[in-house]
Amino acid sequence: MRDLSALERMTRLMEVTAALSKTMTPDQVADVVMNMGLAALGARGGALLRVDDEAREYVLLDRTGGRGPQVARLPLESELPIAVCARSGRPAAPAVGILCLPLLIRGHAIGALELELGAPPDEEARALLDATADQCAQALERARLYALEQVRREELERSNRLKDDFLGIVSHELRTPLSAILGWARMLKRGMVPSAEGRERALEAIERNATLQARLVDDLLDVSRIVSGKLELESANIDLSAVVDAAIDSVRPTLLAKGLQIRCALAPEGASVLGDARRLQQVVWNLLTNAIKFTPAGGTIDVRVERLGDVTRMSVKDSGIGIPSDVLPHVFERFKQADGSATRRHGGLGLGLSIVWTVVEAHGGSVQAHSNGVGFGSELVVELPAAQTDGRPPVRAAEAPHTGSRLDGIRVLLVEDEADTREFLAAALESAGAEVRAVASAPEAMGTMAAWRPGVIVSDIAMPEEDGYTFIRKVRALPADAGGRIPAVALTALARPKDRRRALLAGFQAHLSKPADPGELVAAVANLWLGPRS
């Protein structure tokens, strides 16, 4: 070390310590060490190396006086003395007057400092060198942690911005159908739609927008399940061609209204997969509605299902507006839309494709999006593992409820705490010929059963005082001649697979989710009445 008085050396080292405490980046640390630290230590030259854990290599932060490697980056296996020191975490003196010191944080080397001292340091000088290396290591670690915190802060800010934008879109998308529903309902109530044709159109608009709102709510609930890792599948051997066929039928009115042509090529021999029929139908519906939304009037949509060895492939290709190249890698992300502005032409929450991706992944499959850019349409391809057939026929897609069922002469006990819903459900059942007793609570229902024996029970689950699970358990505890075996339908907004299982285990024979379709409700009651009740 150069001949410096003890006081001068101590003063300079205190200045180095103060300067290092203010550094925020590795480059700033290197600047202080090379320009102030070497002078304070009386070194002729030096080099500062740090470990880049992500790139798995060493990075030369700075060098002076001809010391250190001649390249900016070194492999971790480098045999240069400074790299060996950083790798081993032990000091080294590769030549007379040359000293390599590891930069240690909790015993782990994060880099190394090489110094050209001219002569071996004495005990006092060595203590100062070790102290300087320790301060350098702490400064580099602070810089690393600061950089990580900056990245986390930026990610959090970006996430918050996306969530704020998403909440704005949610508000818009939920209020839009609600505006149509309330507007038409108020006009009908005030007699502002005099013609029969106008009233029919108003009712169709109310139904269409209520259905849209229900689907928006379902998408939000699905995202909540996905985020919390609670998306559940009920797997069976499914004919994917039948699922696609049923989904096409459900969107056919929209296709006709928009003047779109759909062409199908479904595997004639069937295309079996092991999966959840309801979830797979949701996947197909989301892909179809996405294609319909972004394909202008007069366009075409091609749907293909085929078996390719151990894979069943489904593709939905449209002649629509296409996907910009910068958006294509992000189409399956949540809270991501090509156009999230207030002037966007296409509505929706931007959740459909993210739900598709998650459901397909949960089935062990993959989904990809292809597009040659704006104006060239797009194609979404889903691949699922083909099911190994065991001789049993695959499950067909769920069919629409049979709306022609009659309940003539059937006594139905309806248990629903919400007055408007209770009135609607009672009217739906009575319109099919049922004799209905409607009550608002489980205790009322038990009292009614004592004097009036129903043939079928329809009960809500979430009710004040006593829920539907407790109610049906009390019913099942009754003797058969007191109504203990009366078949029952759980009609509830608790629509998760585990809610359905819980309802069946509690004693219900069927589970329907709200909002209730009148035809589906009537069909469920009819099936229970006609089915075995033992």
Side-chain angles (χ1 to χ4, degrees):
M1 298 177 71
R2 290 179 181 173
D3 188 15
L4 295 173
S5 69
L7 178 59
E8 185 179 6
R9 183 180 298 125
M10 187 62 64
T11 300
R12 291 190 179 185
L13 286 175
M14 289 175 65
E15 292 173 350
V16 171
T17 299
L20 285 174
S21 68
K22 299 176 182 178
T23 56
M24 305 298 287
T25 68
D27 289 338
Q28 290 175 350
V29 174
D31 183 65
V32 170
V33 171
M34 292 295 107
N35 292 316
M36 296 177 63
L38 296 188
L41 295 169
R44 299 172 181 173
L48 183 61
L49 200 71
R50 74 172 178 89
V51 179
D52 186 336
D53 290 321
E54 291 186 5
R56 297 190 60 77
E57 59 186 0
Y58 294 118
V59 178
L60 178 65
L61 293 175
D62 202 356
R63 58 190 291 270
T64 185
R67 299 309 311 166
Q70 305 298 311
V71 294
R73 291 180 176 268
L74 295 173
L76 294 182
E77 305 80 27
S78 172
E79 292 300 322
L80 288 177
I82 191 171
V84 173
C85 175
R87 186 166 59 248
S88 66
R90 294 191 297 270
V96 176
I98 304 299
L99 181 63
C100 294
L101 297 172
L103 306 180
L104 302 174
I105 295 293
R106 294 180 292 277
H108 174 68
I110 64 169
L113 175 64
E114 182 178 293
L115 299 169
E116 182 183 355
L117 302 171
D122 57 26
E123 185 176 345
E124 180 184 353
R126 178 58 188 269
L128 291 174
L129 292 172
D130 289 340
T132 302
D134 183 56
Q135 291 176 16
C136 181
Q138 292 181 35
L140 285 176
E141 180 67 2
R142 283 198 305 272
R144 185 186 71 83
L145 294 175
Y146 178 77
L148 285 176
E149 181 61 26
Q150 286 289 96
V151 171
R152 292 193 187 101
R153 185 180 294 113
E154 289 172 2
E155 289 177 349
L156 181 61
E157 290 174 354
R158 176 178 175 273
S159 176
N160 286 336
R161 283 196 306 272
L162 289 173
K163 288 178 181 177
D164 287 343
D165 293 343
F166 176 70
L167 289 174
I169 293 172
V170 169
S171 175
H172 174 271
E173 293 301 319
L174 290 177
R175 286 175 180 274
T176 297
L178 189 60
S179 297
I181 293 168
L182 288 175
W184 281 115
R186 286 166 178 165
M187 289 179 68
L188 289 170
K189 183 179 179 180
R190 295 167 186 169
M192 298 170 65
V193 189
S195 70
E197 181 182 351
R199 288 192 293 272
E200 180 68 22
R201 200 163 59 248
L203 292 173
E204 288 175 357
I206 290 173
E207 181 181 22
R208 182 171 61 253
N209 282 278
T211 301
L212 172 60
Q213 196 167 46
R215 285 196 178 275
L216 293 174
V217 172
D218 285 342
D219 281 352
L220 289 171
L221 290 174
D222 280 337
V223 168
S224 175
R225 295 179 189 121
I226 290 166
V227 170
S228 60
K230 295 179 180 178
L231 185 70
E232 299 180 2
L233 301 178
E234 296 183 346
S235 295
N237 194 352
I238 307 298
D239 182 0
L240 190 59
S241 291
V243 170
V244 171
D245 202 30
I248 291 173
D249 282 342
S250 71
V251 300
R252 200 174 297 279
T254 310
L255 288 166
L256 294 174
K258 199 171 180 180
L260 300 177
Q261 180 184 2
I262 188 164
R263 299 180 295 209
C264 302
L266 306 182
E269 71 282 2
S272 296
V273 298
L274 187 65
D276 186 314
R278 186 175 67 87
R279 288 296 180 188
L280 290 178
Q281 193 153 6
Q282 180 185 24
V283 165
V284 180
W285 189 89
N286 279 345
L287 294 180
L288 288 173
T289 54
N290 191 73
I292 292 169
K293 181 192 300 184
F294 295 107
T295 302
T300 59
I301 298 173
D302 291 285
V303 182
R304 175 181 293 273
V305 176
E306 53 189 335
R307 174 79 177 260
L308 301 174
D310 295 333
V311 172
T312 297
R313 175 182 292 173
M314 176 191 67
S315 63
V316 177
K317 185 176 182 179
D318 63 65
S319 61
I321 64 174
I323 305 173
S325 58
D326 61 323
V327 174
L328 192 60
H330 307 287
V331 294
F332 298 110
E333 294 179 9
R334 289 192 301 273
F335 310 137
K336 185 75 175 180
Q337 288 189 319
D339 181 8
S341 68
T343 57
R344 63 197 184 122
R345 296 175 57 190
H346 305 283
L349 298 178
L351 295 176
L353 292 185
S354 98
I355 292 172
V356 165
W357 186 88
T358 302
V359 172
V360 171
E361 287 280 312
H363 281 82
S366 64
V367 57
Q368 294 180 329
H370 306 282
S371 177
N372 290 327
V374 176
F376 292 96
S378 61
E379 181 179 22
L380 286 101
V381 180
V382 172
E383 291 188 348
L384 296 165
Q388 302 300 319
T389 58
D390 56 5
R392 290 180 293 182
V395 175
R396 303 284 296 179
E399 297 180 354
H402 177 56
T403 57
S405 300
R406 294 292 301 172
L407 305 178
D408 296 314
I410 301 176
R411 289 183 168 188
V412 178
L413 175 59
L414 173 62
V415 191
E416 167 63 59
D417 64 301
E418 206 285 315
D420 288 342
T421 303
R422 186 168 65 248
E423 183 178 0
F424 149 65
L425 294 173
L429 294 167
E430 288 171 347
S431 69
E435 181 184 344
V436 180
R437 292 284 178 90
V439 297
S441 68
E444 283 185 73
M446 294 300 293
T448 300
M449 286 181 62
W452 184 82
R453 184 70 53 81
V456 177
I457 296 171
V458 176
S459 176
D460 189 15
I461 294 294
M463 296 183 290
E465 299 181 31
E466 189 175 291
D467 63 25
Y469 300 126
T470 304
F471 165 61
I472 200 62
R473 290 191 189 101
K474 288 184 176 180
V475 171
R476 295 294 172 247
L478 296 173
D481 58 2
R485 295 183 178 178
I486 297 173
V489 180
L491 180 61
T492 173
L494 302 173
R496 297 168 297 183
K498 71 176 185 180
D499 296 321
R500 178 178 180 275
R501 288 195 295 270
R502 185 179 177 187
L504 297 180
L505 288 172
F508 289 98
Q509 282 70 45
H511 178 275
L512 298 178
S513 60
K514 294 178 179 177
D517 178 276
E520 186 177 357
L521 174 61
V522 169
V525 172
N527 289 337
L528 287 185
W529 173 254
L530 296 173
R533 296 189 293 280
S534 59

